[in-house]
Amino acid sequence: MQMEINQIIKYMKKKSFILIVVLLAIVLGAQAQPKNIHNGHEYVDLGLPSGTLWATMNIGADTPLGSGDFFAWGETDPKSNYSLSNYKWGNDATNFTKYNDTDGKTQLDLEDDAAHVNWGGDWHVPTYDQMMELHDNCEFVVNNEEKWMKITGPNGNTLYFSMNLGFYNGTVYRESREGLASPIWASTTGTYNGELGAYIVSTTGYKIYTLQFPRYMGVCIRPVIDGSNISEIPDGWKVNGKTPINGKLAVERGRKITVTPKVPAGKIIKSIKLIPIE
């Protein structure tokens, strides 16, 4: 009888051990397969019309509300002094050596884009239009006590910005005025008091607004990906041999798109864009 009891105990211990191993494998498996990660960094799909995907944190930050690193516009490394005298593109604010009236460039080249250089993949500094898309399509909730703003997209997903950060002018850190979120660079040029500047996004109590700012200031960056949808594909048609689900299909950036059957004369497939994937 005692032998039978011991066998039962050994059997239960064995089963318990197996159960623990299985549960551990499930947990580790879930950790090993994170969702919404591109090139090592997390993003959120807000369901925006353009399909833009926003990073959940600033470059260099450890949390969604952290400041992370500061960059002068068009520079790809943080530094200790943000001033016109040491700005990469010259110290004449009316005629910088690049992104000026002569070359006519109004958007950052990828080689000068801190998000792309530091995070790689398809990450880049958001454009002015991508910033304003948040304003036009999202709902905003502000917590003044904990200093954060929650932005909810059309699909119900959320993005957080801090309301307790600022920027660098020279070596001096300037805190944002009360009720304003941390300014974030756009990749789009602008003017500031008649000099060459660039756009930033900030917020009032409940909305995003944009300002034009001196380019040499140290400002944070929240990267984005140009995600989009392949939409309005007729029923039964395929893209690269795959059938879109709810009008959406992920396609590797740069890959040739083949639609079958062949598009008949006069037929237009609208809004063919790409969703970058790992």
Side-chain angles (χ1 to χ4, degrees), residues 127-128 131-136 140 149 151 161 163 167 176-186 198-213:
T127 65
Y128 171 85
M131 289 181 164
M132 293 310 295
E133 185 179 45
L134 295 179
H135 176 278
D136 296 337
F140 300 81
M149 168 176 277
I151 301 174
F161 285 104
M163 296 187 67
F167 60 92
S176 294
R177 291 171 294 177
E178 185 176 356
L180 298 182
S182 171
I184 296 171
W185 279 128
Y199 279 96
I200 62 168
V201 65
S202 194
T203 65
T204 60
Y206 297 97
K207 277 290 182 182
I208 278 180
Y209 73 98
T210 55
L211 297 171
Q212 299 182 61
F213 218 53

Side-chain angles (χ1 to χ4, degrees), residues 15-16 44 62-63 67 75 77 79 105 145 157 163 216-217 219 226 237 249 261:
K15 288 296 184 181
S16 297
V44 59
D62 296 323
T63 69
S67 61
E75 295 186 2
D77 293 306
K79 54 190 181 183
K105 290 179 178 289
E145 293 183 0
N157 290 339
M163 296 187 67
Y216 59 85
M217 298 285 198
V219 177
D226 289 336
W237 288 33
L249 180 69

Side-chain angles (χ1 to χ4, degrees), residues 41-190:
H41 299 279
E42 185 179 10
Y43 64 84
V44 59
D45 180 359
L46 296 171
L48 298 168
S50 72
T52 298
L53 309 173
W54 280 81
T56 59
M57 302 181 196
N58 293 347
I59 297 177
D62 296 323
T63 69
L65 299 185
S67 61
D69 296 325
F70 293 80
F71 300 86
W73 189 87
E75 295 186 2
T76 58
D77 293 306
K79 54 190 181 183
S80 58
N81 182 7
Y82 297 84
S83 63
L84 185 59
S85 62
N86 69 357
Y87 184 49
K88 178 178 180 178
W89 304 112
N91 54 22
D92 180 359
T94 63
N95 187 29
F96 290 126
T97 58
K98 190 175 181 180
Y99 305 104
N100 53 37
D101 293 336
T102 301
D103 62 34
K105 290 179 178 289
T106 60
Q107 298 289 336
L108 284 172
D109 291 333
L110 288 181
E111 64 195 39
D112 305 319
D113 186 305
H116 184 72
V117 171
N118 285 276
W119 283 16
D122 294 296
W123 291 107
H124 66 85
V125 177
T127 65
Y128 171 85
D129 288 341
Q130 286 172 319
M131 289 181 164
M132 293 310 295
E133 185 179 45
L134 295 179
H135 176 278
D136 296 337
N137 294 276
C138 298
E139 296 181 356
F140 300 81
V141 174
V142 171
N143 186 314
N144 287 311
E145 293 183 0
E146 298 182 11
K147 303 296 183 183
W148 53 252
M149 168 176 277
K150 180 173 72 173
I151 301 174
T152 302
N155 63 3
N157 290 339
T158 56
L159 182 70
Y160 285 86
F161 285 104
S162 172
M163 296 187 67
N164 197 33
L165 304 175
F167 60 92
Y168 275 95
N169 183 7
T171 60
V172 179
Y173 179 72
R174 303 287 183 87
E175 291 186 356
S176 294
R177 291 171 294 177
E178 185 176 356
L180 298 182
S182 171
I184 296 171
W185 279 128
S187 62
T188 308
T189 60

Side-chain angles (χ1 to χ4, degrees), residues 13-27:
K13 286 182 177 179
K14 182 179 180 180
K15 288 296 184 181
S16 297
F17 175 75
I18 293 174
L19 179 59
I20 291 172
V21 170
V22 171
L23 291 174
L24 183 60
I26 292 173
V27 171

